[in-house]
Amino acid sequence: MNSPFKGVAEAQSPIVYVRPVMVADLPDDLREQIGDVETVYSVHRPNGERLALVRDRNLAFSLARQNDLAPVSAH
């Protein structure tokens, strides 16, 4: 029996992970661009490739979905 389950990302929809990143852990050039924020959110592929850094968790999820990706929280 092969019944698709809507709660799980489909095979053609690649998963990306969203996780908080401490700004202090980023390279100097990125810290200068970010400003006085302590935490940003990384959107990255399962292989670790960072696709984006954004200021807000909701924005990270929206950005992923707008690009036909399936975001999942990672801690």
Side-chain angles (χ1 to χ4, degrees):
M1 179 176 185
N2 187 8
S3 299
F5 179 67
K6 295 183 191 264
V8 177
E10 296 177 14
Q12 70 269 18
S13 179
I15 292 176
V16 292
Y17 295 98
V18 174
R19 69 176 182 91
V21 176
M22 298 300 297
V23 172
D25 295 337
L26 295 173
D28 291 338
D29 59 331
L30 287 177
R31 285 196 309 243
E32 291 172 10
Q33 294 177 36
I34 292 171
D36 62 351
V37 177
E38 292 183 19
T39 305
V40 293
Y41 291 84
S42 172
V43 178
H44 60 275
R45 294 193 186 280
N47 68 2
E49 176 189 5
R50 183 181 299 152
L51 302 175
L53 284 174
V54 296
R55 188 176 288 239
D56 180 85
R57 183 179 181 275
N58 290 333
L59 179 59
F61 275 78
S62 294
L63 176 68
R65 288 184 186 118
Q66 288 174 357
N67 287 283
D68 300 323
L69 300 170
V72 177
S73 287
H75 300 280

